[in-house]
Amino acid sequence: MRRSRTNRRYRGNYFYRDGQKLPLVKLPDAFALRLREGRLPGELRAWTREGERLPPVALEKAYGRQRLATYRVRGAAVARDRAMDALRRDGRTQYCTHVYGRRRARAPDPLILTDEIVVQFKPDLTRGVLRRLCRERGIVLVEPIPGLENGYLCRVTRAAGENALKVANRLYEEGLALAAEPNFLRRLARRGDTHGPAGGRRGGGRPGRGRVIPNDPLFPKQWHLHNTGRNGARAGADVKALAAWEVTRGSRRVTIAVIDDGFDLGHPDLRERGKIVSPYDFGQGDPDPSPGLADAHGTACAGVATAVGGDGVGVTGIAPRCRLMPIRIPLDGLDEAAIARAFRWAAGRGADVISNSWGPADGTGVREPLPLIVRAAIDQAVGKGRNGRGCVVCFAAGNGDEPVDLDGYGSYSKVIAVAATTDQDRRAWYSDYGKAISVAAPSSGGRNGIWTTDVRGRRGYNPQGDWTGEFGGTSAACPLVAGVAALVLSVNPRLTAAEVRQVLEATADKVDPRGGRYDARGHSRYYGYGRVNAARAVREARDRRQSQSRRAARASGARPDRS
């Protein structure tokens, strides 16, 4: 009997994504609300309707870009529905909706239904038919979606008589659209939260002779760059940064975009003339990507990739001379259309590499397909960025010790999915795995964590300093690979995004050859094609450039490049 009631509760709550019908459940104690202009979310506590007081309602969180706020209702779903009914009748309310979660998820991640949908209409619909269809369905075309034929971001008005979820489902089920899905506002998980051991407490020894050693005081602790075996680590379990830097430390012509939760651009290891380009905050819609109160993740990721090196301060990034494009997306809540805009911003303003250490929540047990509008933006970046050569897009594989296939972002075929290894040159216990893994890179999970930049003051990972040795997860592995990709492009900017990926995979070290279970193609479900080797990668890029130069010289009769 209980099971039949549960089934009725789920009836009609679903959406389509990537050709799949994904069931939803309404969270029983939550709803979302947008008030009319000039009204503040906190006013709700004092509202009454026709002399009847609302059920006890508590403001949970306000989301700036969509002007939505979520509320928790004390009591069962009946109290939630009574509050929502009263609010919908009130003239101060512009929009009120349920908050959903994925059915069968072990811990449902809240999906807040906005009044926008993403639709790829059928190609045979003419402009006139499309306008008439939208008018009849109560839909307004907000903007076309670049890279998606006949694709639009649309707003569902009150004239539709239904919420955005049902409107999108009808468009798809009636065959009017190739795809139609809600523009959910959702939370994203940082890939650095593994709760692994803190690291780097005793330093790391002196690198070998004959090489230019960074004078950054914390460099000896950056075992992921040069591992001498100190502090219980395994010597050589690193990306071979010193040998790579003999070829290049990066070029100011190469830009790494880091999309994350915020950036402390006043940090001494990120503050260098000409280093920061095109910063932006897609939560607030302004060029200041400063972190929020609990946002230390982006600063740490940026430092792993491109912290200033050789300045006698703190740490160094793997690509210290490359530029940084800091792009903030508030990971505690942003709609999918804004995430897509972040990728378009990066590609449109000259990013060569785009690093992403976030994704759907780990451990839910359900697959989260890539949103249509985000996929279109990634396709545009990979296909048309860098004047047609393509941006290199890296994603952290995830920290759930589960198949990366559950994550539609990390498992997308056009991105580089990065797994994590430890200071023992073995798979990190938390690292996601599967066919989609491209390469692995050093991170936490062994005896030591990753030393990198931290938000200054008490709001970072290390409240006693401006650098931290406790960063890790696939969050740290991803910008490390992104930085190596930037070194590759610094040596050979003619390479396409696909060729950069080939270089990284072909030159990676086959760590843990027995436990890794590499197949006939040299691929491991745990390590991809191996732990990235920056030195071999930049040398391969240099060799390819010289081959390209010789071929061009033969064709033109000019002298080849021997640099």
Side-chain angles (χ1 to χ4, degrees):
M1 211 46 199
R2 183 178 302 169
R3 185 170 183 176
S4 66
R5 286 199 299 269
T6 302
N7 286 341
R8 285 199 298 271
R9 181 182 171 193
Y10 293 135
R11 190 173 299 163
N13 297 320
Y14 60 89
F15 71 107
Y16 292 95
R17 179 160 287 174
D18 198 22
Q20 302 175 61
K21 185 176 182 178
L22 305 175
L24 296 169
V25 57
K26 295 175 182 176
L27 300 189
D29 61 343
F31 66 90
L33 178 72
R34 181 190 296 137
L35 301 179
R36 296 197 179 278
E37 292 285 355
R39 299 287 180 178
L40 299 176
E43 294 179 356
L44 200 60
R45 297 175 188 168
W47 281 20
T48 59
R49 175 71 185 177
E50 297 173 355
E52 178 188 12
R53 199 165 189 81
L54 287 176
V57 171
L59 173 65
E60 183 183 42
K61 183 170 178 58
Y63 301 91
R65 201 192 84 82
Q66 284 280 345
R67 289 184 44 245
L68 280 169
T70 51
Y71 296 85
R72 291 287 177 177
V73 182
R74 191 182 305 166
V78 174
R80 174 206 64 195
D81 291 342
R82 187 159 62 89
M84 291 179 66
D85 288 343
L87 290 165
R88 283 169 171 165
R89 293 193 300 267
D90 196 292
R92 290 167 287 188
T93 298
Q94 186 180 74
Y95 176 68
C96 187
T97 182
H98 291 94
V99 175
Y100 296 85
R102 286 289 304 280
R103 183 183 173 189
R104 300 190 187 96
R106 286 192 281 268
D109 195 29
L111 297 172
I112 302 168
L113 184 66
T114 69
D115 56 355
E116 293 176 340
I117 59 177
V118 176
V119 186
Q120 185 178 18
F121 292 99
K122 294 188 71 173
D124 56 354
L125 292 180
T126 65
R127 188 78 177 179
V129 172
L130 187 56
R131 281 197 295 266
R132 185 171 67 253
L133 171 65
C134 291
R135 187 168 57 250
E136 292 171 352
R137 301 298 177 102
I139 301 170
V140 175
L141 300 181
V142 177
E143 61 186 27
I145 299 173
L148 194 65
E149 184 183 2
N150 234 17
Y152 292 89
L153 179 65
C154 307
R155 179 170 296 111
V156 177
T157 69
R158 288 192 176 187
E162 294 179 317
N163 67 18
L165 188 67
K166 293 179 180 177
V167 171
N169 290 344
R170 286 185 185 276
L171 289 172
Y172 184 72
E173 291 168 348
E174 293 175 9
L176 297 169
L178 298 177
E181 56 190 50
N183 176 29
F184 283 118
L185 192 157
R186 64 177 306 163
R187 299 170 187 168
L188 294 164
R190 297 164 177 83
R191 301 306 196 195
D193 303 329
T194 65
H195 307 292
R201 288 181 291 273
R202 292 197 299 270
R206 293 177 61 83
R209 293 182 178 180
R211 292 175 176 172
V212 178
I213 310 303
N215 64 358
D216 307 273
L218 293 173
F219 175 74
K221 297 184 178 184
Q222 292 187 277
W223 63 267
H224 61 288
L225 300 177
H226 181 73
N227 192 336
T228 62
R230 295 294 185 88
N231 205 25
R234 181 178 180 178
D238 56 60
V239 298
K240 311 298 183 284
L242 290 182
W245 290 339
E246 291 177 356
V247 180
T248 181
R249 294 192 180 196
S251 167
R252 272 288 192 263
R253 295 189 300 271
V254 175
T255 298
I256 305 171
V258 179
I259 300 178
D260 216 286
D261 66 2
F263 304 86
D264 182 359
L265 298 185
H267 194 286
D269 252 338
L270 298 176
R271 187 182 66 236
E272 184 181 57
R273 185 175 181 180
K275 189 172 191 69
I276 305 300
V277 294
S278 301
Y280 203 78
D281 182 345
F282 279 90
Q284 299 298 323
D286 60 45
D288 180 7
S290 297
L293 291 176
D295 297 337
H297 194 258
T299 302
C301 289
V304 172
T306 186
V308 177
D311 59 346
V313 175
V315 297
T316 181
I318 181 64
R321 292 182 180 168
C322 290
R323 296 192 297 180
L324 170 65
M325 184 185 296
I327 301 174
R328 181 174 186 262
I329 58 170
L331 298 177
D332 58 356
L334 189 66
D335 61 287
E336 292 159 345
I339 296 171
R341 290 189 186 103
F343 282 96
R344 293 201 294 269
W345 175 277
R349 283 160 179 78
D352 298 280
V353 183
I354 306 175
S355 180
N356 307 275
S357 293
W358 46 268
D362 291 309
T364 63
V366 297
R367 184 172 183 272
E368 294 287 356
L370 185 63
L372 176 64
I373 194 168
V374 179
R375 187 182 71 195
I378 293 175
D379 288 348
Q380 285 280 99
V382 174
K384 295 186 177 181
R386 295 179 55 236
N387 296 317
R389 290 188 173 93
C391 300
V392 179
V393 179
C394 300
F395 263 94
N399 301 337
D401 185 23
E402 60 190 358
V404 69
D405 293 343
L406 296 175
D407 175 0
Y409 292 84
S411 64
Y412 187 41
S413 61
K414 295 186 180 180
V415 311
I416 294 175
V418 182
T421 58
T422 70
D423 59 3
Q424 307 301 310
D425 245 357
R426 291 294 183 268
R427 171 182 174 254
W429 57 268
Y430 51 80
S431 185
D432 285 2
Y433 50 84
K435 293 181 179 179
I437 300 296
S438 172
V439 290
S443 189
S444 62
R447 293 174 178 261
N448 299 278
I450 300 298
W451 276 92
T452 185
T453 48
D454 195 16
V455 172
R456 292 169 297 164
R458 302 186 61 82
R459 293 191 292 128
Y461 292 102
N462 177 13
Q464 275 75 50
D466 299 338
W467 292 266
T468 179
E470 300 183 9
F471 195 50
T474 53
S475 275
C478 179
L480 188 53
V481 170
V484 175
L487 293 181
V488 167
L489 287 173
S490 297
V491 172
N492 190 349
R494 300 176 187 173
L495 295 174
T496 66
E499 289 171 334
V500 173
R501 180 175 186 149
Q502 291 168 5
V503 167
L504 295 178
E505 293 176 348
T507 58
D509 292 328
K510 296 291 191 286
V511 296
D512 188 17
R514 181 173 297 180
R517 301 177 184 175
Y518 295 88
D519 62 21
R521 298 180 300 113
H523 183 271
S524 162
R525 66 199 298 257
Y526 302 115
Y527 302 103
Y529 288 91
R531 190 242 306 120
V532 70
N533 184 316
R536 293 179 62 194
V538 297
R539 288 170 186 155
E540 173 66 18
R542 181 184 59 189
D543 291 346
R544 291 193 182 201
R545 185 195 69 198
Q546 291 171 346
S547 296
Q548 291 166 342
S549 178
R550 285 192 293 267
R551 287 195 299 269
R554 283 195 297 268
S556 65
R559 181 173 296 179
D561 177 12
R562 299 186 184 278
S563 61

